[in-house]
Amino acid sequence: MHEIPIITIDGPSGSGKGTVSRAVAKTLGWSLLDSGALYRLVALGARRASVSLDDGPALAQLAGRIDIRFDSSPGGDEVVWLDGQEVTRAIRTEQAGGDASRVASLGEVRGALLDRQRRFAAPPGLVADGRDMGTVVFPWARPKIFLDASPAERALRRYKQLKEKGVAANLAALSLEIAERDRRDSTRTASPLVASADATVLDTTGMSVDEVIGRVLKIAREFV
Ligand code: C5P
């Protein structure tokens, strides 16, 4: 497993990780691990099975047994399946994001997802997008990137993203949600959101998505 090239891209909500990771994976022809989607799927699965979002052991059991599939539509759009049901949009709501952040604070859930995440590593390589990809899940990866941006800019990006998808959004409410998620993600004891000591930190405030993709690809090409 350690011979497979892996690039980790970590950072807070709205830092552009998702878009950048997807583009980098596509350009390199590598697989993508959207680890946030796994936490979102566990949270949605828990809601659907009426499992409490605070019940670590029950959530860990659910995380181990749910059937998760990432596909693409004929048009190339991502399609996500949970136990045979299509949940592409359902996992992207702000509610699902908040629920994901709650279940992600539990060590049992993180442990249950560890091997599942590592199994995404496959030749010719993997781009791993998340919060603890470089620190916990793939500490041997090279290079490790940590994307950041000011909270105001991250809230605005999220707002535009949701609008584009036709999802109703409120900027003030989003800013509060992002601040709350940042607080929870960086203060939890289980794998808090921190840049790995050996990560390249990129502050993307004021940068366009294409600029960020270009910078990440340039760093990636120094290693692979
Ligand atoms: O990246 P995304 O917004 O989809 O992640 C949803 C939530 O899942 C995050 O707010 C975070 O709490 C959690 N998460 C995590 N570790 C990861 C990826 C996501 O704790 N590697």
Side-chain angles (χ1 to χ4, degrees):
M1 182 165 61
H2 289 216
E3 298 77 52
I4 299 170
I6 300 174
I7 298 173
T8 58
I9 304 185
D10 290 303
S13 304
S15 59
K17 284 174 300 121
T19 313
V20 171
S21 301
R22 237 166 266 278
V24 170
K26 198 167 169 203
T27 305
L28 298 174
W30 290 10
S31 323
L32 174 74
L33 164 60
D34 172 1
S35 60
L38 299 187
Y39 288 98
R40 288 168 182 263
L41 284 159
V42 171
L44 186 64
R47 286 261 184 216
R48 292 192 171 173
S50 301
V51 169
S52 157
L53 297 185
D54 303 311
D55 186 343
L59 289 167
Q61 212 242 355
L62 184 132
R65 85 175 128 79
I66 50 176
D67 178 36
I68 294 172
R69 216 147 42 83
F70 294 93
D71 262 0
S72 41
S73 71
D77 292 327
E78 182 186 67
V79 184
V80 187
W81 301 86
L82 170 62
D83 289 331
Q85 284 192 324
E86 210 227 282
V87 294
T88 317
R89 284 173 75 91
I91 59 161
R92 298 298 170 194
T93 62
E94 287 307 301
Q95 155 99 48
D99 285 355
S101 157
R102 265 176 77 184
V103 304
S105 67
L106 303 170
E108 292 105 320
V109 175
R110 307 198 72 84
L113 287 180
L114 194 57
D115 274 347
R116 215 170 178 149
Q117 295 176 87
R118 289 183 175 155
R119 285 200 296 273
F120 276 79
L126 176 73
V127 177
D129 157 1
R131 304 290 190 291
D132 60 343
M133 298 296 97
T135 48
V136 176
V137 182
F138 303 109
W140 61 89
R142 292 288 181 278
K144 299 177 182 177
I145 314 274
F146 191 90
L147 293 186
D148 209 348
S150 70
E153 176 139 343
R154 290 189 284 120
L156 192 61
R157 286 180 188 169
R158 198 68 154 198
Y159 175 77
K160 287 184 183 158
Q161 219 175 35
L162 289 170
K163 282 279 195 188
E164 271 165 27
K165 287 191 204 153
V167 179
N170 172 302
L171 186 56
L174 269 178
S175 303
L176 287 177
E177 269 160 25
I178 284 202
E180 169 57 17
R181 239 198 284 174
D182 278 359
R183 190 197 56 74
R184 193 159 36 202
D185 290 349
S186 46
T187 57
R188 69 183 174 216
T189 44
S191 312
L193 171 69
V194 281
S196 179
D198 53 354
T200 303
V201 180
L202 276 184
D203 182 350
T204 68
T205 309
M207 281 170 81
S208 72
V209 177
D210 285 345
E211 271 177 276
V212 182
I213 294 168
R215 288 281 293 278
V216 173
L217 278 171
K218 191 162 177 274
I219 297 167
R221 290 199 168 109
E222 286 165 18
F223 287 81
V224 297

